[in-house]
């Protein structure tokens, strides 16, 4: 029953995010459900999957560290890793704004790489690993353990995404 319920919710979510076109209008090819008005906060940009707006807002923000690390229990980089729309592109924007955000963790000591791996998101994990600062080795990030003593590779295996596991092992 649980699987049926999850499948039903997934289908409803897909249906609600499909763009609709008026008569005489070409359907939009964008997956984003971004509103007609540009997002005013980084959190709205993440919610709507608007990677361009997120990048612009991060570039202009006066307190970049404050916005990246608040709230401490769910930092922005972790919120982006959980995003359903354009998560990979948004993660690239966050890493370009501050590559060190890769090391930010929530209260369970999970970083965005743990979350992306758990969700089987190769695009998110690739953006994080390829955008990391030069002096941070991939092994350091892949070896970070959360409160349960699990690292991102453990989560990648549990996600069942073989391509992600092979990417992390490479």
């Amino acid at each position: 029953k649980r699987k049926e319920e999850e499948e039903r919710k997934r289908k409803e979510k897909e249906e609600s995010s499909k763009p609709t076109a008026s008569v005489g209008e070409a359907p939009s090819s964008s997956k984003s459900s971004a509103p007609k008005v540009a997002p005013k906060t980084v959190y709205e940009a993440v919610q709507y999957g608007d990677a361009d707006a997120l990048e612009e807002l991060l570039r202009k923000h006066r307190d970049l560290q404050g916005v990246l690390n608040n709230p401490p229990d769910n930092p922005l980089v972790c919120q982006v890793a959980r995003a359903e729309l354009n998560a990979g592109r948004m993660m690239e924007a966050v890493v370009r704004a501050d590559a060190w955000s890769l090391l930010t963790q929530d209260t369970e000591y999970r970083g965005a790489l743990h979350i992306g791996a758990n969700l089987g998101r190769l695009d998110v994990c690739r953006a994080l690993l390829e955008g990391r600062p030069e002096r941070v080795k991939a092994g350091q990030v892949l070896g970070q353990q959360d409160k349960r003593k699990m690292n991102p590779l453990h989560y990648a295996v549990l996600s069942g995404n073989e391509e992600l596991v092979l990417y992390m092992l490479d």
Side-chain angles (χ1 to χ4, degrees):
K1 283 187 171 184
R2 190 172 140 215
K3 284 185 179 184
E4 291 174 359
E5 182 67 18
E6 288 174 3
E7 183 67 21
R8 185 186 61 75
K9 285 182 180 179
R10 186 185 62 77
K11 284 182 181 181
E12 286 177 356
K13 198 174 281 188
E14 283 177 1
E15 288 298 318
S16 67
S17 67
K18 283 184 181 177
T20 56
S22 301
V23 176
E25 222 180 299
S28 171
S29 61
S30 172
K31 282 186 170 182
S32 175
S33 64
K36 301 279 186 214
V37 178
K40 292 182 176 126
T41 68
V42 291
Y43 302 102
E44 286 179 1
V46 170
Q47 178 184 355
Y48 298 128
D50 193 336
D52 296 331
L54 177 62
E55 186 159 17
E56 185 67 23
L57 289 165
L58 288 173
R59 186 174 36 250
K60 291 180 177 180
H61 210 283
R62 291 182 185 163
D63 180 20
L64 185 59
Q65 291 307 310
V67 78
L68 289 173
N69 296 314
N70 281 317
D73 61 331
N74 189 18
L76 180 69
V77 69
C78 295
Q79 292 178 41
V80 170
R82 290 183 188 94
E84 294 183 22
L85 297 171
N86 298 322
R89 285 193 56 228
M90 288 192 299
M91 189 59 73
E92 289 169 4
V94 170
V95 171
R96 274 194 297 272
D98 179 19
W100 291 98
S101 62
L102 158 75
L103 302 175
T104 305
Q105 298 174 330
D106 64 13
T107 54
E108 298 293 316
Y109 304 132
R110 290 178 305 226
L113 195 58
H114 288 87
I115 295 164
N118 188 41
L119 296 172
R121 298 296 306 265
L122 178 59
D123 56 344
V124 169
C125 295
R126 182 174 282 140
L128 285 163
L129 290 171
E130 292 178 4
R132 74 185 186 283
E134 284 185 29
R135 63 184 205 200
V136 175
K137 305 287 185 232
Q140 289 174 297
V141 179
L142 290 169
Q144 284 184 331
Q145 292 183 343
D146 63 8
K147 278 190 173 179
R148 296 173 57 201
K149 304 291 185 216
M150 293 180 62
N151 64 40
L153 186 56
H154 291 129
Y155 285 108
V157 170
L158 290 174
S159 78
N161 185 338
E162 186 177 339
E163 187 178 0
L164 174 60
V165 173
L166 293 173
Y167 173 76
M168 288 184 158
L169 288 172
D170 191 29

